[in-house]
């Protein structure tokens, strides 16, 4: 292949979005990420098993056709995986003393490459000071929260990189809460090594000076895991070790996380990151363009910074797409060209969510006909998706209970009951909860 496979894949996604339409694209492919290209096979990551299966069954052939067309190689194929891009328990034994669980630190996620602005300066400053000196009671634990794509992972990985380079006598453990869960579950599988594995697993934590955990919101309602985490956490904390966590929401919204865990989080330093302002977006954009070796006129750069504004990941995605267009199609980037590429790129995420979009996405996820949601049937296969639709309409739109009810031909008390029911189901069944959140995230792009 004469092009970078990443570029081919970016462009393939862009084409797929046009062919599928933004709704379907958003439900299924907006989280797709390039993993590798080896021996003619593109491996593409998706964030859940449901998505990976659905995409394999429904879109694999079309995506392959696109990839073949764009790469000029009629033999390439594609496989999808939902396995996180991380390590397994097996690999841990190989990791060095200083880098527990750190195999997946991204090289570029360092302090020097994190652009500061008014909306992330405090988070940056606190992260940096913690990286220089651990365990100060005023910032232990350090809790960083904010929406997707705003740099939380970048910042906490920067701490890990910094410790690795500048404090060789300190060990750290960097792990996402989902990996924590996976490892914990693996260690619990009954076999003769079970006990040893669990102890081994705990030791990894106990020995670290820095415990850095990404996305703690996923610890959610797994009680046993929370218990274990709380004990490990407390043990480290009492020994003056530094704890750093991130989350997509502030501590008090972390229910159903155990109360004691929440109050521990609140007892240290809590800082948020908000979406970057225009000036910050301009600096980030210029850094990214420089990385990609792309030269654009000032007015185009300004247009991009002004238009792509919800988060930094989206800004990076826009630059990647432009880069792919330049490299593969030799497109000359005029303001008009860029405008049409970006309008298309933002099309899916910036459109307004309305009841039809939400219900058809829910129907898609549950594999049922969207019309059934408005129908009379009350069997469980239809009832649950209908209640999920009501719940999401309430979450994602400004419609009143009455308005939602009338969309389904029902009254407001039915909607209220549906919302309560979904809340209960989500609290009781974490698989179900993940499914609802998956739908919600796909709708929010
Ligand atoms: P989050 O964990 O909050 O969802 P990430 O840390 O994954 O977000 O950031 C998304 C992307 O945006 C990453 O590639 C990251 O390097 C980049 N990024 C975020 N904030 C900044 C910033 N202030 N300066 C430079 N790059 C940033
Ligand atoms: Mg993150």
């Amino acid at each position: 292949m004469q092009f970078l496979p990443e570029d081919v894949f970016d462009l393939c996604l862009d084409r797929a979005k046009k062919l599928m339409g933004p709704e379907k694209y958003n439900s299924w492919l907006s989280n797709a990420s390039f993993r590798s290209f080896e021996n003619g096979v593109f491996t593409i990551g998706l964030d859940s098993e449901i998505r990976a299966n659905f995409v394999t069954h429904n879109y694999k052939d079309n995506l392959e056709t696109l990839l073949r067309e764009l790469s000029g190689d009629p033999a390439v194929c594609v496989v999808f995986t939902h396995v996180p891009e991380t390590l397994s328990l097996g690999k841990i034994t190989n990791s060095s003393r200083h880098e527990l669980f750190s195999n997946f630190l991204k090289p570029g996620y360092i302090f020097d490459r994190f652009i500061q602005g008014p909306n992330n300066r405090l988070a940056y400053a606190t992260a940096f000071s913690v990286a220089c000196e651990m365990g100060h009671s005023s910032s232990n634990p350090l809790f960083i929260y904010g929406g997707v794509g705003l740099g939380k992972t970048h910042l906490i990985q920067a701490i890990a990189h910094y410790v690795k380079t500048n404090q060789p006598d300190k060990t750290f453990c960097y792990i996402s809460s989902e990996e924590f869960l996976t490892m914990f579950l693996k260690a619990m599988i009954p076999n003769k090594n079970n006990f040893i594995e669990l102890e081994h697993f705990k030791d990894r934590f106990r020995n670290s000076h820095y415990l850095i955990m990404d996305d703690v919101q996923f610890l959610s309602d797994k009680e046993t895991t929370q218990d274990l985490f709380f004990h490990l956490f407390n043990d480290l904390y009492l020994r003056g070790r530094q704890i750093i966590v991130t989350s997509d929401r502030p501590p008090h919204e972390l229910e159903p996380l155990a109360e004691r865990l929440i109050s521990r989080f609140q007892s240290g330093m809590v800082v948020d990151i908000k979406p970057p302002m225009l000036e910050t977006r301009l600096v980030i954009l210029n850094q990214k363009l420089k990385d990609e070796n792309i030269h654009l006129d000032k007015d185009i750069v300004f247009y991009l910074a002004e238009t792509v504004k919800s988060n930094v990941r989206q800004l990076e995605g826009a630059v990647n797409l432009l880069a792919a267009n330049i490299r593969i199609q030799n497109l000359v980037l005029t303001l008009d060209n860029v405008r049409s590429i970006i309008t298309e790129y933002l099309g899916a995420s910036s459109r307004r969510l309305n009841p039809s979009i939400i219900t058809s996405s829910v129907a898609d996820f549950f594999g049922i006909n969207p019309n059934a949601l408005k129908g009379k049937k009350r069997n469980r296969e239809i009832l649950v998706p209908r209640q999920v639709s009501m719940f999401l309409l309430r979450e994602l739109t400004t419609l009143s209970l009455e308005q939602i009810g009338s969309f389904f031909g029902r009254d407001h008390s039915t909607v209220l009951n549906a919302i309560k029911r979904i809340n209960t189901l989500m609290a009781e069944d974490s698989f179900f909860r993940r499914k609802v959140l998956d739908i919600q995230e796909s709708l929010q792009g």
Side-chain angles (χ1 to χ4, degrees):
M1 184 176 297
Q2 81 207 84
F3 306 118
L4 282 179
E6 289 95 322
D7 283 346
V8 170
F9 181 66
D10 276 344
L11 213 59
C12 166
L13 277 187
D14 189 47
R15 290 270 180 88
K17 188 192 281 181
K18 284 177 200 150
L19 293 170
M20 295 164 75
E23 260 172 60
K24 289 218 161 60
Y25 176 86
N26 250 21
S27 298
W28 300 110
L29 284 175
S30 61
N31 292 311
S33 64
F34 176 85
R35 291 284 175 80
S36 65
F37 179 74
E38 275 164 32
N39 304 325
V41 181
F42 281 87
T43 302
I44 303 306
L46 289 163
D47 60 354
S48 71
E49 193 174 357
I50 305 175
R51 278 211 181 87
N53 287 342
F54 188 92
V55 170
T56 305
H57 282 108
N58 294 280
Y59 297 119
K60 182 175 157 59
D61 292 349
N62 292 338
L63 290 173
E64 247 162 28
T65 310
L66 281 176
L67 287 170
R68 288 172 183 166
E69 209 174 279
L70 289 164
S71 64
D73 178 348
V76 296
C77 44
V78 61
V79 295
F80 299 93
T81 172
H82 67 279
V83 179
E85 196 179 8
T86 53
L87 71 177
S88 64
L89 263 180
K91 282 197 211 154
I92 296 168
T93 36
N94 302 332
S95 61
S96 87
R97 208 173 76 76
H98 303 296
E99 304 172 33
L100 304 174
F101 304 123
S102 76
N103 307 28
F104 44 97
L105 289 185
K106 287 210 178 157
Y109 284 7
I110 54 175
F111 284 121
D112 281 350
R113 291 184 52 80
F114 189 89
I115 309 291
Q116 297 177 59
N119 292 350
N120 63 24
R121 203 183 303 282
L122 183 61
Y124 178 96
T126 322
F128 189 70
S129 80
V130 158
C132 297
E133 199 179 345
M134 58 169 259
H136 255 292
S137 57
S138 59
S139 39
N140 197 19
L142 169 59
F143 186 104
I144 302 175
Y145 73 92
V148 292
L150 296 182
K152 300 182 295 298
T153 300
H154 185 139
L155 258 192
I156 59 169
Q157 292 207 0
I159 299 178
H161 280 298
Y162 189 91
V163 172
K164 199 168 149 181
T165 319
N166 299 295
Q167 304 206 57
D169 58 325
K170 298 282 192 297
T171 58
F172 64 85
C173 162
Y174 171 86
I175 189 169
S176 80
S177 67
E178 280 178 309
E179 282 131 23
F180 181 85
L181 286 175
T182 313
M183 285 195 207
F184 175 72
L185 293 175
K186 266 197 190 158
M188 292 300 285
I189 293 172
N191 66 39
K192 63 179 188 312
N193 295 327
N194 174 344
F195 180 74
I196 303 171
E197 291 228 330
L198 189 59
E199 287 310 302
H200 197 63
F201 176 56
K202 289 185 195 164
D203 272 351
R204 298 276 159 181
F205 283 82
R206 288 198 195 106
N207 290 333
S208 44
H209 294 95
Y210 285 82
L211 170 61
I212 308 175
M213 187 179 281
D214 209 359
D215 291 321
V216 287
Q217 72 272 10
F218 294 129
L219 282 182
S220 69
D221 50 344
K222 299 263 191 320
E223 246 177 61
T224 353
T225 332
Q226 276 184 36
D227 247 22
L228 175 63
F229 181 65
F230 184 77
H231 288 299
L232 294 170
F233 178 109
N234 238 12
D235 175 55
L236 288 172
Y237 180 79
L238 294 173
R239 286 188 288 128
R241 304 291 166 93
Q242 178 70 47
I243 292 155
I244 301 141
V245 299
T246 71
S247 156
D248 65 352
R249 63 202 82 167
H252 68 271
E253 285 177 25
L254 274 174
E255 275 181 275
L257 211 60
E259 192 71 30
R260 55 188 183 164
L261 210 43
I262 294 179
S263 58
R264 262 285 187 256
F265 288 152
Q266 282 167 330
S267 70
M269 176 82 172
V270 179
V271 287
D272 71 342
I273 303 188
K274 294 201 183 67
M277 324 254 279
L278 177 64
E279 293 72 22
T280 320
R281 296 203 296 277
L282 270 170
V283 185
I284 293 174
L285 195 54
N286 279 318
Q287 171 173 285
K288 188 75 191 158
L289 288 168
K290 201 165 154 218
D291 291 346
E292 296 283 338
N293 210 1
I294 299 178
H295 303 278
L296 292 179
D297 288 347
K298 276 213 170 67
D299 54 339
I300 302 184
V301 178
F302 194 78
Y303 163 80
L304 284 171
E306 222 179 16
T307 318
V308 187
K309 54 187 165 200
S310 51
N311 66 57
V312 183
R313 189 171 297 145
Q314 192 186 42
L315 204 53
E316 288 186 347
V319 174
N320 290 342
L321 184 57
L322 295 179
N325 271 289
I326 297 176
R327 290 198 202 110
I328 297 185
Q329 307 199 312
N330 291 322
L331 194 71
V332 178
L333 292 185
T334 60
L335 184 56
D336 277 348
N337 281 341
V338 171
R339 199 172 266 153
S340 79
I341 293 171
I342 296 301
T343 309
E344 189 94 38
Y345 171 70
L346 294 180
S349 49
S350 64
R351 80 206 186 288
R352 276 191 63 74
L353 289 171
N354 62 37
S356 317
I357 290 176
I358 294 176
T359 46
S360 72
S361 193
V362 172
D364 239 10
F365 258 79
F366 283 92
I368 57 171
N369 184 334
N371 293 330
L373 293 174
K374 292 172 85 171
K376 294 271 169 271
K377 284 210 177 112
R378 288 191 47 84
N379 49 329
R380 197 178 152 82
E381 291 76 60
I382 305 294
L383 185 63
V384 173
R386 183 184 294 136
Q387 290 175 328
V388 169
S389 308
M390 292 178 177
F391 172 85
L392 288 176
L393 276 168
R394 189 66 178 160
E395 290 281 306
L396 300 174
T397 68
T398 52
L399 298 176
S400 66
L401 294 174
E402 282 78 12
Q403 287 168 319
I404 296 173
S406 73
F407 179 77
F408 292 93
R410 270 123 174 128
D411 63 12
H412 81 281
S413 63
T414 311
V415 180
L416 198 60
N417 283 333
I419 294 169
K420 275 192 199 147
R421 176 96 188 102
I422 296 304
N423 272 320
T424 314
L425 278 177
M426 284 172 74
E428 285 168 354
D429 176 353
S430 56
F431 182 75
F432 178 78
R433 177 185 156 80
R434 195 60 242 161
K435 186 162 179 172
V436 175
L437 292 180
D438 268 350
I439 307 175
Q440 177 164 346
E441 278 161 19
S442 78
L443 281 162
Q444 287 173 314

